[in-house]
Amino acid sequence: PGTATAVMSSATVTGHVRRLSGPGRVDTAVTVSQDVFPAAGSARGAVITTSATYADALSGASLAAKVGGPLLLTSPTALEAPVAAEIRRAVRAGGTVYVLGDTGAVTDRVEAQLRPAFTVTRLAGADRYATARAVADQVRALGAKGPAYLATGTNYPDGLTVSALAARTDGLVVLSDDRALDAGTRAWIAEDDPAGSRTVPVGGPAAAAAASPAAGGALPASIAARALVGVDRYDTSLRVAQAYGPLPAPTAARRVIGLATGTDWPDALVGAAAMGSLAGPLLLTDGAAPSLNRSTILSVATVLRDDGAIEGVIFGGADVVNEDLVSIFDGTLYR
């Protein structure tokens, strides 16, 4: 631990906006980790998920924020060299590295590559919903007392946009089977929140799942009633930003608003975990559009305060968030 690792890509700056990117999703995640945890050994732990699919990372982003470490992606079959080097650099000796998903998602070889320098804990279940519950149990075991945010596990935008809110409110993320609840998740919510006072559905599918009959009985109606639902993924992101509320007054810490594409998942999910550590919201926009989505502009206004410097961070390269949007984002932060 503490050895140097080459910067895999670039952190470019336009005005008050930094772009964190790499030639691929694995490299972008390493670059983000290097930016958020610049000092060797400054991360208490890390979370590793497969680079092949988003499901485990939906709940893993809030875990990464809770343990004070990065979310990193790797090939299912082995720990890629840049990721191994970044873990050795960023995570303190003896820290815990969480591997998410069963051996079909991330093989035992990854665990073997991390021992004995780190404590390795695998969190897995029979499917994505059970894995999310295992992650949620770990976040609760680490002391989280806040809400359980329910998001669909069959798509990514709602889950990634709520991860920073989960970190802000000392909460976690569990998954619905689109518009339905599997029996295990229904039972988990009933045990975690018997009064229905701290579960918050995010997005239309999760809201429908919370209101639908389920094995073991329907959930309390109060859960569906507090759902954060917009007309599309960007409007739902606005509702989440409204729940996030204004950024705190300036301190010595960075004051950051994140931006990622709403049409792909790898960079955005890594960004969701990073924003949990940076204590700022993650906003979504159509990265190929000529301007920011209107809901994104309203989200900036929701969280922005006029009493100190704000830094914008864009996650991903110009192929996912085009160059025109960098300047527009900068102008929106400093209008």
Side-chain angles (χ1 to χ4, degrees):
T3 57
T5 179
V7 176
M8 292 304 301
S9 52
S10 60
T12 59
V13 180
T14 301
H16 303 88
V17 175
R18 296 167 59 77
R19 182 195 289 277
L20 303 178
S21 65
R25 60 188 62 181
V26 169
D27 303 319
T28 293
V30 169
T31 299
V32 171
S33 176
Q34 291 170 347
D35 184 81
V36 179
F37 303 98
S42 58
R44 301 194 306 273
V47 176
I48 297 177
T49 70
T50 174
S51 62
T53 186
Y54 60 82
D56 296 336
L58 288 174
S59 55
S62 60
L63 174 62
K66 187 64 178 176
V67 302
L71 174 69
L72 294 164
L73 309 178
T74 195
S75 160
T77 57
L79 191 64
E80 295 183 46
V83 183
E86 178 59 11
I87 292 172
R88 290 194 299 270
R89 184 201 68 83
V91 180
R92 65 186 59 171
T96 299
V97 179
Y98 295 92
V99 176
L100 305 190
D102 63 17
T103 54
V106 180
T107 66
D108 284 335
R109 184 181 175 190
V110 171
E111 294 186 54
Q113 288 176 267
L114 292 166
R115 294 191 177 100
F118 304 101
T119 299
V120 182
T121 299
R122 183 182 289 271
L123 302 174
D127 55 27
R128 64 185 61 188
Y129 311 105
T131 294
R133 295 194 299 271
V135 173
D137 286 338
Q138 183 62 48
V139 177
R140 286 283 188 237
L142 292 170
K145 305 296 185 186
Y149 295 95
L150 179 68
T152 177
T154 62
N155 207 347
Y156 53 84
D158 298 336
L160 67 89
T161 195
V162 80
S163 293
L165 177 60
R168 181 179 176 93
T169 56
D170 198 29
L172 51 88
V173 177
V174 289
L175 304 179
S176 69
D177 185 1
D178 199 46
R179 302 175 69 85
L181 281 180
D182 68 284
T185 300
R186 190 268 169 211
W188 188 94
I189 293 173
E191 181 178 354
D192 182 72
D193 185 20
S197 60
R198 68 172 184 179
T199 304
V200 181
V202 179
S212 67
L219 296 174
S222 58
I223 292 179
R226 70 171 65 88
L228 304 174
V229 181
V231 297
D232 58 21
R233 63 189 60 186
Y234 306 109
D235 192 39
T236 294
S237 177
L238 170 60
R239 306 303 172 93
V240 171
Q242 291 168 337
Y244 194 98
L247 287 171
T251 66
R254 297 166 68 178
R255 302 174 69 239
V256 183
I257 298 175
L259 182 70
T261 179
T263 60
D264 204 0
W265 63 269
D267 300 336
L269 274 170
V270 168
M275 293 311 301
S277 294
L278 292 171
L282 178 71
L283 310 181
L284 302 182
T285 198
D286 180 350
S291 186
L292 293 177
N293 186 279
R294 181 176 181 274
S295 293
T296 308
I297 295 172
L298 293 174
S299 296
V300 172
T302 294
V303 301
L304 198 60
R305 297 171 59 122
D306 295 325
D307 52 2
I310 294 288
E311 177 187 354
V313 177
I314 291 179
F315 298 97
D319 57 329
V320 292
V321 179
N322 72 66
E323 288 292 347
D324 290 342
L325 294 181
V326 180
S327 296
I328 294 170
F329 187 37
D330 183 55
T332 303
L333 297 177
Y334 286 85
R335 62 191 184 281

